[in-house]
Structures are given as C-alpha cells and as structure tokens.
Amino acid sequence: MSPSPSPRLSRSYLQTVCAHSGCDVNASHSRDVVAPIHLATTYERSAPNPLQHPPTSMDPTIAPRGTDGGVCGYPGGYCYSRLANPTRNALERVLTDLDDGLASQAYASGMAAASAILSALAPGDHVIFGVDLYAGVKGVRGMLCDARNVKWDAANAASKEDIVRKIQPSTKLVWVESVGNPMCSVADVRGIRDAIQTLGMASPPLIVVDATWASQFVSRPLLHGADIVLHSLTKYIAGHSDCLGGALIRTRTSTPALDKMWTMACNACTIAGSALDPFTCYMVMRGIRSLWCRIKVQCANAMEVATWLSKHPRVSCVRYPGLSNDPGHVTLLQNGVSDSQDDDPDALFGGMLSFEVEGGAEAALRCLEACKLCVRATSLGGTETLLEHRRSVEAFAGHSDTPEGLVRMSVGLESVQDIINDLDQALNSI
Ligand SMILES: *Cc1c(COP(=O)(O)O)cnc(C)c1O
C-alpha cells in the first residue's frame, strides 16, 4: 500500500495509513474494501512430490518463519493458520507500516509478545530493564529470567548514563517503555542508542521499546534507534477495551543478533503457538482505522486535564510529558514523529497521565470512589476515561515503589469539561 504522497513518518502519512487499515482491494477476488476474515485453519496443498523431504540440517529454533521444518508446495502461500494467516498478515502489514519497520508479528496478547522476546534469552544472558515497567512484564520476568538464571538490572530509562553504567559484556537486551508505567517517565531511546554505540561492543545489546502507552503518533522508537518495538494492541491500537492482542515490529537494519532474536521471537508465535486469531486481527484493524482521531482527542483532553490538575489544591504532583516543565517533555519531543522538532506545535504527548492526591492512599481511594463518570478500572487506551490507584494494584506483586497517593489516568474521548467536572467534585469531596 502506498496510500498518500505525504512524506513517510509524518503524522499525515500515519493518518492516511490508519484510515485505510486492512483495506487492500487487490488482495481479494471480490475486491472487498474491508479485509475479509479468513477463518480456515488449513490450505490446500499441490500434488505431493514424494522426493521432497524436510532438510535435516535445519535448527528448529532458528528456522525461517512461515516454514514448518521445510513444508512447501502450497500454491496459495499459506499452509496452516498458526504459521501464517491472511487476516493476520493484513494486520501485520499495517503495523509494520505504522512503525516503519521491516516486519511485524501479531501475538495473542501484549504479554505473549513480551514473553516471545524474553524466552529467546539463554541462561547467563543479562538484561537491563527500565525502572518504570508494566507490572505484567515484572511478572513474566520472574518466570522467564529469574527462574532460568537470566540476570537483570533495573536502570532509569531517562538516563543514558545510568543504562550504560549497567551494561555488561553479557548484556543482550535493554528493555524500556517509551513512556513508562505508571510514572510517565520518558525513555531517551535516541540517547541510549548513541551511548551504546560509543561503547564499541562487538555485539551490542538490542534495544526493545514497549511503546504501548505512547502509540505510534507519540513515540517513534524504530526511527530513533530501537531494534524492536512492542505494542499491546489491547490498548490504544484496538482502542475499545474489547479485545486482547500484542505485536512486535522490527527495524529494517539487520545484525546477526537481531536476526536471530527476531526469528526466535516469531517462532514463539508460529511454532510455540501464541498467534493472534483472525477475528481479533480484524477487530484490531478496525480499531486502527480511527486511531489517529482517537489519539488526537485523547492527547488534547489529557493536556487539558493535566494542566487543570496541576493547579488543583488537593493535587500535589502531576506527571504528564505534555507539560512543558515535565522532566520528560523535551525527551519525548526528540523521540517523536520526526527528527528535530523541539518546537513542533502539533506534537502529541499521549493520553496517559498520573497525579498524586494530597493525603496519600486513603485520600486517593476516596477520590476514586467519588467519581461518577470516570470508571475505576485497570487498562488504558479505550474511549472511556479510566482511573486506577496503582499502589493497590501492584500490592499483589509484593514490593511497590509507586507513591501511595498516585492515581493513574487513561484519558478518554468524553467532553473534557465533563471529565474535569467529575474530577473536581471527587477531589473536593475528600
Ligand atoms: C497492557 C500492557 C502490556 C501487556 O499487554 P496485554 O495485551 O495486556 O497482554 C504490556 N506493556 C504495557 C506498557 C501495557 O500497558
């Protein structure tokens, strides 16, 4: 698809890609304007050739994706739906385009995508994780790192110095969130890439960026030097709090370490079997059609809510990278849609923010209880505003450094005045 004359990577290019998500009339005989859902699990094979045997030398852990130990002879290009499916491929093409990558792989959830990468590490490998990290990733880190003797350190993703200080010869991955959960810290992906390059390592660690909070319109990890970007499709991309999915997108630049990691991560989908089902692929493509419009309104609403909250007497701290005094403000501009845009008037900073209520956990919980419009629920990126007291949610994992009074907010598409009025009456009722 080459949808528009707009320059690639500009917001207008992405806007047009979104509007045509899954729309490839040449891909179907009936010239469907909307991608059909291909439910077949299996596809007809051409007449068998008895002399065709799978090559015995192929290492199953790094066999090319889409193959199954050398199965071939499928004239339609598809063999079995777990390996590849036309609806999933249509979604993967859109995701590749939106992040300007080389290829993408869609998984049954964001966590399946995260697991695909971490399970490719070997005992003795070392990983650096950003401190601000999705609780689910911390959980799977216990399963796939701690339990398998994969070592890790935590570092401040906003500080390339802190990251580089913790790199060891065995460091295989640096894993950061472009906008971090729940403190809204902003990773300096570009700075981390440059700092790693100056180390001159023969096999430098790969940079994996979880861009779920930001979406493709707010941070551009591959453009700024990441090797792999991860999205939970469940959040902004599908956008309606009604389906689970995840994706990995890889950069065009090729290194032996990246190619090996990519193949193994894809095999976790196609061979180990965590592929996203065709109906959900369709739902996600449908969501992407309005992604630009949703993100634009959510970012504008979040900016207004953050500005309003920062003046409220019951609020001690607001974290939102759109505020010009936020520590991540300039970094996010530098890691955004185009290369140099420190004064970009159209820059977007996302729909996620967090704020601290004066009076700690008890006051924060009372505030949430008093909300009538904003919904108390986990997750993010839907059309409805969601609020969550993170400390109570993270309690299940034992230790939490999240401030007691912190409320995480996914700003929705409601009238911003309605959102503010609801917060105002709730804060004033404490
Ligand atoms: C939700 C989320 C995930 C996990 O995605 P699921 O689709 O819920 O498995 C990973 N990273 C971040 C930042 C998330 O918000």
Side-chain angles (χ1 to χ4, degrees):
M1 180 171 71
S2 48
S4 91
S6 314
R8 284 184 79 81
L9 303 179
S10 66
R11 272 183 290 265
S12 45
Y13 177 81
L14 297 180
Q15 177 179 0
T16 301
V17 172
C18 284
H20 282 235
S21 166
C23 167
D24 184 358
V25 290
N26 293 318
S28 104
H29 290 304
S30 42
R31 304 196 66 75
D32 301 61
V33 168
V34 171
I37 306 175
H38 292 265
L39 294 175
T41 53
T42 189
Y43 302 83
E44 191 187 43
R45 189 174 191 176
S46 56
N49 174 353
L51 297 178
Q52 218 164 47
H53 291 299
T56 46
S57 61
M58 195 183 289
D59 173 354
T61 60
I62 57 164
R65 71 188 284 241
T67 69
D68 190 8
V71 171
C72 52
Y74 287 87
Y78 293 95
C79 157
Y80 183 63
S81 186
R82 168 162 47 71
L83 304 175
N85 168 284
T87 315
R88 197 166 89 226
N89 282 5
L91 168 63
E92 288 166 348
R93 279 196 297 277
V94 182
L95 294 170
T96 301
D97 214 6
L98 284 175
D99 266 303
D100 197 37
L102 179 71
S104 73
Q105 186 78 53
Y107 296 81
S109 69
M111 289 316 304
S115 305
I117 294 184
L118 296 179
S119 62
L121 297 166
D125 286 350
H126 177 255
V127 186
I128 297 172
F129 288 100
V131 172
D132 228 6
L133 194 68
Y134 177 66
V137 174
K138 289 182 183 165
V140 85
R141 180 173 68 187
M143 293 161 58
L144 295 176
C145 295
D146 300 341
R148 296 194 307 133
N149 198 30
V150 172
K151 313 281 187 201
W152 58 269
D153 277 299
N156 175 3
S159 161
K160 56 179 189 273
E161 293 81 12
D162 194 29
I163 300 269
V164 162
R165 204 177 306 125
K166 286 171 179 152
I167 289 180
Q168 305 174 7
S170 59
T171 306
K172 293 292 192 297
L173 286 185
V174 172
W175 180 298
V176 297
E177 297 182 358
S178 50
V179 178
N181 176 20
M183 304 291 275
C184 291
S185 62
V186 175
D188 184 9
V189 175
R190 172 170 283 262
I192 294 169
R193 162 59 70 207
D194 292 346
I196 287 177
Q197 262 164 7
T198 61
L199 297 177
M201 297 166 78
S203 185
L206 300 174
I207 302 177
V208 175
V209 177
D210 183 341
T212 300
W213 269 37
S215 88
Q216 299 89 339
F217 288 94
V218 175
S219 77
R220 306 286 310 165
L222 297 187
L223 173 65
H224 298 288
D227 294 288
I228 296 176
V229 57
L230 183 154
H231 290 286
S232 164
L233 304 172
T234 314
K235 315 295 172 51
Y236 286 103
I237 295 177
H240 293 74
S241 308
D242 58 3
C243 56
L244 282 172
L248 299 176
I249 302 97
R250 65 158 285 176
T251 186
R252 293 170 194 279
T253 317
S254 178
T255 61
L258 173 59
D259 292 348
K260 184 173 180 208
M261 167 61 78
W262 182 252
T263 303
M264 290 175 78
C266 289
N267 287 349
C269 181
T270 58
I271 297 177
S274 55
L276 189 59
D277 70 283
F279 181 74
T280 309
C281 291
Y282 169 81
M283 292 287 279
V284 177
M285 278 190 280
R286 187 182 206 271
I288 292 173
R289 288 186 163 223
S290 62
L291 177 60
W292 162 239
C293 309
R294 289 186 281 108
I295 287 285
K296 215 172 138 171
V297 175
Q298 278 158 324
C299 291
N301 280 0
M303 183 72 101
E304 270 199 61
V305 170
T307 307
W308 178 83
L309 280 169
S310 59
K311 295 182 198 133
H312 200 284
R314 296 258 156 87
V315 173
S316 57
C317 174
V318 179
R319 294 185 173 83
Y320 180 63
L323 299 174
S324 58
N325 61 353
D326 188 271
H329 182 73
V330 173
T331 313
L332 192 50
L333 280 170
Q334 289 166 347
N335 283 276
V337 170
S338 65
D339 278 301
S340 61
Q341 47 158 358
D342 284 10
D343 54 358
D344 178 359
D346 300 319
L348 299 171
F349 298 93
M352 294 302 296
L353 60 91
S354 59
F355 60 95
E356 279 174 56
V357 180
E358 241 9 304
E362 209 181 305
L365 288 167
R366 273 213 304 276
C367 167
L368 295 201
E369 197 185 336
C371 282
K372 298 186 170 95
L373 176 70
C374 305
V375 181
R376 290 182 302 277
T378 195
S379 199
L380 54 125
T383 64
E384 67 290 333
T385 295
L386 299 181
L387 294 171
E388 181 173 58
H389 181 242
R390 268 319 273 183
R391 187 76 181 223
S392 342
V393 174
E394 288 167 359
F396 80 90
H399 178 77
S400 165
D401 289 323
T402 302
E404 298 263 358
L406 184 135
V407 175
R408 185 182 91 174
M409 182 165 190
S410 167
V411 182
L413 296 180
E414 302 91 339
S415 140
V416 71
Q417 199 52 55
D418 288 342
I419 300 171
I420 287 174
N421 288 347
D422 191 38
L423 286 175
D424 196 32
Q425 65 80 23
L427 284 165
N428 293 335
S429 77
I430 297 171

